[in-house]
Amino acid sequence: MAAEPSEPLSDSDLLARHVAGEPDAFGELVRRHRDRLWAVAIRTLGDREEAADAVQDALVSAFRAAHTFRGQSAVTTWLHRITVNACLDRVRKAATRRTAPVDDTERFEQLLEPHESAEAPAERKELHRELLAALTTLPAEQRAALVLVDMQGYPVAEAARILDVPTGTVKSRCARGRARLAPLLTHLRSEVAGADETATRNRTPRTSVPPPSGPRDTGTSDPAAVKGGGGRT
């Protein structure tokens, strides 16, 4: 009689096993959550190398600090908080070095997945590029709140736990961020509306474009191995 498959371990169980010295436990946590951590990092930082470094730093920090986890939040919330903090540290460091606004349009083109670049309408490519470019003009805290709530779809309460601030602060940062983005993106509205009307008239059946995903799973338990592995090349 075949044995019934065992239930997968919870995140907290895996973290506890990592603390107890089990070599593969943390690697499983990385495999479970790396895609979403990568998505937060790339959208917050707007640069693949910076995002890869931030996620690597975050995972190394989590690897070393796992013994401090007290279960007061979900493990995924804890991992996201560490990742967001790593991103914000990089934003602040970059701000001290930068003397001119970011004006690297090619960099934002590279954020599109290969299949999206090939199949999505040109208007959507431009919208994606300009949205990401506009996002980098926001203060780091507003950017992080908007990425979590508007782009990643986290409830405000969960974003507040990740950012370790009150829910009212998240709402305020989102509102201020949206207000600052609005004048930068107003010109896109009529363009997108016209593009949608044209696409509707000319639409022919085709395979829909899947949403962009995070990096491919390399199957490693080494948190440092995310370096260079965040995102598709």
Side-chain angles (χ1 to χ4, degrees), residues 9-10 12 36 64 80 83 92 95 101 103 137 149 164 169-171 190 196 219 223 230:
L9 293 172
S10 68
S12 57
R36 297 197 77 180
R64 293 172 175 169
H80 275 73
T83 301
R92 295 183 187 109
D103 188 25
T137 67
V149 175
D164 200 21
T169 300
V170 174
K171 292 178 181 178
S190 59
D196 285 343

Side-chain angles (χ1 to χ4, degrees), residues 98-187:
R98 189 167 60 240
T99 58
V102 173
D103 188 25
D104 187 355
T105 56
E106 182 179 355
R107 182 178 69 184
F108 293 104
E109 289 287 358
Q110 294 171 356
L111 298 181
L112 294 170
E113 295 299 317
H115 60 259
E116 186 177 358
S117 297
E119 298 178 25
E123 294 82 1
R124 292 296 178 185
K125 265 179 62 174
E126 180 66 12
L127 174 63
H128 190 180
R129 184 187 66 79
E130 294 203 32
L131 281 171
L132 288 168
L135 196 63
T136 64
T137 67
L138 297 179
E141 290 78 10
Q142 292 176 20
R143 191 190 312 181
L146 279 177
V147 166
L148 290 172
V149 175
D150 286 358
M151 301 185 77
Q152 294 300 111
Y154 283 101
V156 170
E158 179 68 8
R161 285 191 287 270
I162 290 171
L163 297 172
D164 200 21
V165 297
T167 56
T169 300
V170 174
K171 292 178 181 178
S172 176
R173 289 177 181 176
C174 286
R176 291 200 302 269
R178 292 173 192 133
R180 292 183 63 152
L181 287 179
L184 299 176
L185 302 175
T186 298
H187 70 284

